[in-house]
Amino acid sequence: MKALTVTIRAELQVPDDWELVEHPSGMLVLRIGDQYVDFDIAPLATRSDDPEAEWSDDDSTLVGKILDTVAGIEVELESHALQ
């Protein structure tokens, strides 16, 4: 068995009415209207070696197998104004 570290960093440019709020669970999340949004790892797969291959999470068995290996996950949300 070996450890694999996956680092994903994304910057989203979102409308001003989307806001970071603390959910009653204590998590910092994005609020869009009346919905709370958190981010998680979503593995995508393809069987094609075509450069234009379509990637998806349709293979629920494979997705489950990958997610079962996640020992921990940390999500950090930060807001800043665009210049």
Side-chain angles (χ1 to χ4, degrees), residues 14-58:
V14 301
D16 289 335
D17 61 335
W18 293 13
E19 58 184 336
L20 288 180
V21 298
E22 186 172 327
H23 185 267
S25 67
M27 296 174 19
L28 188 61
V29 297
L30 183 61
R31 184 169 60 197
I32 303 171
D34 64 351
Q35 292 188 324
Y36 297 99
V37 178
D38 190 22
F39 295 86
D40 203 344
I41 185 171
L44 303 176
T46 187
R47 292 187 185 275
S48 173
D49 57 5
D50 183 330
E52 300 298 320
E54 187 170 317
W55 295 78
S56 75
D57 60 357
D58 290 345

